[in-house]
Amino acid sequence: MSHSQIAPYGSWRSPITAALVATSGVSLNDVALDGDDIYWLEGRPAEGGRVVIVRRAANGTIADVTPPGFNVRTRVHEYGGAPYTVDQGVVYFSNFADHRVYRQQAGETPTPVTPEAPLRYADMTVDRGRNRLICVREDHSGDGEAVNTIVAIPLDGTTGQQVLVAGSDFYAHPRLSPDGTWLAWLSWNHPNMPWDAAELWVAPLREDGSPGTAERIAGGPDDAAFQPEWGPDGALYFVAERTGWWNLYRWHAGNVEALCPMEAEFGLPLWVFSARTYAVESAGRLVCTYIERGEQKMATLDTQSGMLTPLTLPFSDFGFSGPRAANGRVVFIGASSNTPSTLVMLDLASDALMTIRRSMDIQIDPGYISTPQVVEFPTEGGVTAFGFYYPPHNRDFRAPEGEKPPLLVLSHGGPTGATSASFDVGIQFWTSRGIAVMDVNYGGSTGFGRAYRQRLDGRWGIVDVDDCCNAATYLAAQGLADPARLIIAGGSAGGYTTLAALTFRQVFKAGASYYGVSDLEALARDTHKFESRYLDRLIGPYPERIDLYHARSPIHHIEQLNCPVIFLQGLEDRVVPPDQSERMAAALRTKGIPVAYLAFEGEQHGFRKAETIIRALEAELYFYSRILGFELADPVEPIQIDNL
């Protein structure tokens, strides 16, 4: 500290640049095992956000499977997930450009197995005995809403697809029993989201491969089922919410039994098809992740005794892709507060841990990394909420005596989602410059049980806003933030919380909305099928309660918004169309409030291109520097700020 320079918060020079945030790493997701080979997905901002299947062979060599020109993504439910599967060395994947499913033999060019048509596919499993692929299909060929079904795709070159399950609004996780005689799946209907009332069904398969009489074994209102997986002995494992917590269960010989009842979350909101929390390692053992009071852990579970044995690992976050396990080994993606996402393999017998792939090859000096602190703070209604506080930290700088740092409050998306304390180079971008960060798990977040999640029912735009405001004022009262320099940012639903906080409260001095919702009525009317009835639970039925939609929409109360905002928007966003950000920015211009608007060609809901990420992050920093009045240590390309 004696050698550190004195400089105001916000003006510290940092080696963690926007370019480092955007290009230093890849995203790792969706692990699959095929014999001794390990597969995973890499999202590469440096390649325009292209997603590639990568394989580690049994001999340890690592190579791309997906050839140039292919992008392994699906848009089923818009958010996609689980766009590929692998069986005996053959990979099947959904290609983003044309939505067709391709088959790829090792070393060969992918060939399509589905026709050119407005059809999308996800969550695939190979039915080897019948030479077909079973998956979720989303049909966009008709008028109105897309039609979702579970289908079988022949792999012998014939064109006919067999619809196996139909009639519900949504499907996920079709799973074939090891002997090929049973099919399990999840389904749910409007107005529910999967975490509200997803049902688990099973049916025997007839000689022709069609399902027989189906039986619902779990799920429904207040008991959302999640992730069915078959064991080698024919038992069906799954997660259900019968006690108010997502716990593990087993269905066998017609009976359902709880495996390890506890006040912890063994499930996740099914935003993407690849969400998983456990793997069947053998008939006698599961490997699972769970969240207890916001802290994520990994453990083994003895399926006979119910004994849960936590694993000692250098990770505190395991993402949403979950573990894959077989023959005494576990492959998973782990992270911690100072370790970026890393693909590793664990030997359960020896506890030996082997690193396969790091999301970041660049090592950041710990002297520039802020360690998060768990904060439980009081909020409205006499309850508490949670978050992670990151103090400013840079080995080269300290602030003038008595100065308090600006605080950036982050509101996560979803809103049925959660944030974690895993390493986030984007957060370190701010803290290493002298800006504190509070990452809030407001009421409605997952990881704290159903009652905590349901705090947001009917109260979106109230509970989340109160919690973000109370987090900021609590930290300011503790002397950890400057009450005159509180700012807030979020994307998607987090962007709505940001705009609502700026409009309906007087706590923050500025904010950043990344493709955020400003018009709830437009969201209810114009968004895609998966979320088209989401707001029924969060706000009220539309159009019957249009009064609530107007009352909580920032665009209808622009007269109350009196602080600067920067809007960052993808022009191909189908979830929150650009019109919402454009109208909000125009209203602020007319009112004379400082405002900036940046639109990005080719970006959808969530930025994937390195150049977009760099420009957006630098623009946000520049905006705050001009509004809050601190000098930047390094030059940043200016942006146009109207009314400044």
Side-chain angles (χ1 to χ4, degrees):
M1 184 64 73
S2 60
H3 300 291
S4 59
Q5 304 176 49
I6 298 176
Y9 286 117
S11 62
W12 299 351
R13 178 172 287 105
S14 170
I16 304 176
T17 64
L20 181 68
V21 173
T23 63
S24 62
V26 298
S27 65
L28 303 174
N29 285 302
D30 209 355
V31 178
L33 302 182
D34 184 48
D36 292 329
D37 293 346
I38 301 168
Y39 294 76
W40 66 93
L41 293 180
E42 287 189 8
R44 299 173 176 174
E47 297 183 29
R50 188 170 82 101
V51 180
V52 175
I53 300 171
V54 184
R55 181 185 66 178
R56 180 190 183 275
N59 62 9
T61 60
I62 295 176
D64 288 358
V65 174
T66 312
F70 290 90
N71 185 3
V72 183
R73 282 178 59 196
T74 176
R75 285 183 60 185
V76 178
H77 296 175
E78 290 300 325
Y79 295 106
Y84 84 105
T85 191
V86 58
D87 181 65
Q88 295 184 319
V90 182
V91 174
Y92 303 88
F93 67 88
S94 170
N95 183 45
F96 183 69
D98 57 11
H99 304 296
R100 300 175 76 180
V101 175
Y102 286 76
R103 173 178 179 156
Q104 185 179 2
Q105 301 268 16
E108 296 183 5
T109 301
T111 57
V113 297
T114 60
E116 292 186 58
L119 304 171
R120 303 174 184 177
Y121 307 89
D123 219 349
M124 310 165 196
T125 186
V126 175
D127 184 355
R128 194 182 301 163
R130 300 177 180 87
N131 195 32
R132 62 182 186 173
L133 195 67
I134 296 175
C135 63
V136 176
R137 185 182 74 183
E138 191 171 83
D139 186 345
H140 290 258
S141 63
D143 296 329
E145 282 192 338
V147 177
N148 294 68
T149 54
I150 295 175
V151 301
I153 300 169
L155 298 177
D156 59 4
T158 57
T159 58
Q161 296 183 7
Q162 181 184 13
V163 175
L164 301 178
V165 187
S168 293
D169 291 321
F170 301 98
Y171 294 96
H173 291 175
R175 298 291 186 262
L176 189 67
S177 63
D179 62 4
T181 62
W182 287 84
L183 183 68
W185 67 89
L186 298 178
S187 68
W188 64 98
N189 291 295
H190 286 316
N192 293 309
M193 299 298 285
W195 49 85
D196 297 323
E199 299 175 343
L200 172 58
W201 293 82
V202 295
L205 294 180
R206 303 186 182 99
E207 287 289 327
D208 64 354
S210 64
T213 302
E215 176 187 356
R216 181 170 66 86
I217 63 172
D222 295 325
D223 181 26
F226 174 79
Q227 197 196 342
E229 301 286 353
W230 295 94
D233 58 351
L236 179 65
Y237 297 91
F238 61 94
V239 175
E241 210 173 12
R242 299 179 173 189
T243 64
W245 297 86
W246 266 318
N247 279 190
L248 283 161
Y249 293 83
R250 174 173 54 199
W251 177 76
H252 191 57
N255 297 312
V256 172
E257 57 182 324
L259 294 179
C260 182
M262 58 188 294
E263 291 189 353
E265 296 281 68
F266 288 80
L268 294 171
L270 192 59
W271 281 106
V272 292
F273 289 98
S274 48
R276 301 186 195 92
T277 58
Y278 73 94
V280 182
E281 185 271 331
S282 63
R285 182 164 59 180
L286 306 183
V287 179
C288 54
T289 64
Y290 60 99
I291 302 173
E292 197 169 24
R293 292 186 64 81
E295 182 182 356
Q296 194 171 27
K297 305 171 185 178
M298 182 177 286
T300 60
L301 177 64
D302 187 298
T303 61
Q304 301 306 313
S305 69
M307 179 177 293
L308 189 72
T309 305
L311 297 171
T312 302
L313 297 166
F315 305 108
S316 57
D317 184 81
F318 304 97
F320 62 84
S321 293
R324 294 286 196 166
N327 302 321
R329 62 175 183 160
V330 187
V331 182
F332 61 92
I333 298 165
S336 70
S337 61
N338 55 15
T339 305
S341 294
T342 306
L343 179 65
V344 297
M345 181 165 61
L346 171 68
D347 186 298
L348 291 172
S350 66
D351 292 331
L353 196 65
M354 181 179 70
T355 296
I356 297 172
R357 181 79 161 100
R358 293 182 174 89
S359 61
M360 289 181 62
D361 291 326
I362 297 174
Q363 298 294 313
I364 299 175
D365 189 311
Y368 302 104
I369 296 177
S370 176
T371 301
Q373 305 166 13
V374 177
V375 177
E376 183 176 2
F377 58 91
T379 189
E380 307 304 308
V383 298
T384 59
F386 300 85
F388 299 101
Y389 172 72
Y390 295 78
H393 187 72
N394 184 317
R395 70 176 192 183
D396 302 327
F397 291 92
R398 59 189 173 95
E401 189 71 27
E403 183 183 356
K404 303 298 182 186
L407 174 70
L408 174 60
V409 171
L410 299 180
S411 53
H412 66 70
T416 307
T419 188
S420 73
S422 64
F423 181 81
D424 186 333
V425 68
I427 288 177
Q428 306 299 330
F429 173 87
W430 299 107
T431 56
S432 62
R433 284 170 170 74
I435 298 174
V437 172
M438 177 63 166
D439 205 358
V440 182
N441 271 322
Y442 49 77
S445 302
T446 54
F448 305 90
R450 190 179 187 95
Y452 193 88
R453 196 171 76 239
Q454 289 183 336
R455 286 186 190 179
L456 211 57
D457 285 1
R459 296 177 61 79
W460 189 32
I462 299 174
V463 168
D464 50 320
V465 171
D466 285 339
D467 288 357
C468 286
C469 291
N470 287 328
T473 56
Y474 175 81
L475 292 173
Q478 302 299 309
L480 299 174
D482 183 349
R485 293 190 292 173
L486 304 177
I487 50 184
I488 184 169
S492 189
Y496 167 68
T497 300
T498 292
L499 293 174
L502 296 171
T503 302
F504 301 119
R505 306 291 190 276
Q506 303 299 317
V507 172
F508 299 102
K509 306 304 178 184
S513 170
Y514 282 74
Y515 33 88
V517 178
S518 62
D519 186 342
L520 293 170
E521 183 184 6
L523 181 65
R525 188 180 58 241
D526 299 335
T527 196
H528 55 99
K529 178 185 177 182
F530 180 65
E531 289 187 280
S532 63
R533 301 290 300 278
Y534 188 19
L535 303 191
D536 284 25
R537 181 179 290 266
L538 295 176
I539 298 174
Y542 178 83
E544 292 86 347
R545 293 310 310 269
I546 195 172
D547 58 319
L548 293 178
Y549 286 75
H550 284 186
R552 297 186 200 167
S553 292
I555 194 66
H556 293 304
H557 300 277
I558 198 70
E559 75 282 355
Q560 298 182 45
L561 178 53
N562 294 299
C563 65
V565 185
I566 180 173
F567 296 87
L568 304 114
Q569 178 71 47
L571 290 178
E572 295 181 12
D573 193 337
R574 278 275 294 114
V575 179
V576 181
D579 174 69
Q580 295 211 27
S581 293
E582 292 165 359
R583 289 164 56 206
M584 200 73 180
L588 284 173
R589 282 192 208 99
T590 300
K591 194 176 180 184
I593 302 296
V595 61
Y597 174 69
L598 278 73
F600 299 96
E601 293 279 357
E603 291 287 6
Q604 298 168 42
H605 198 64
F607 298 156
R608 294 176 176 269
K609 299 179 181 178
E611 58 269 27
T612 300
I613 297 168
I614 293 169
R615 181 58 171 155
L617 198 53
E618 290 185 344
E620 188 182 355
L621 175 63
Y622 178 84
F623 185 79
Y624 295 152
S625 73
R626 296 298 308 277
I627 299 303
L628 299 183
F630 57 83
E631 296 294 326
L632 296 179
D634 297 303
V636 170
E637 182 182 351
I639 61 170
Q640 179 178 328
I641 304 176
D642 297 322
N643 302 323
L644 186 64

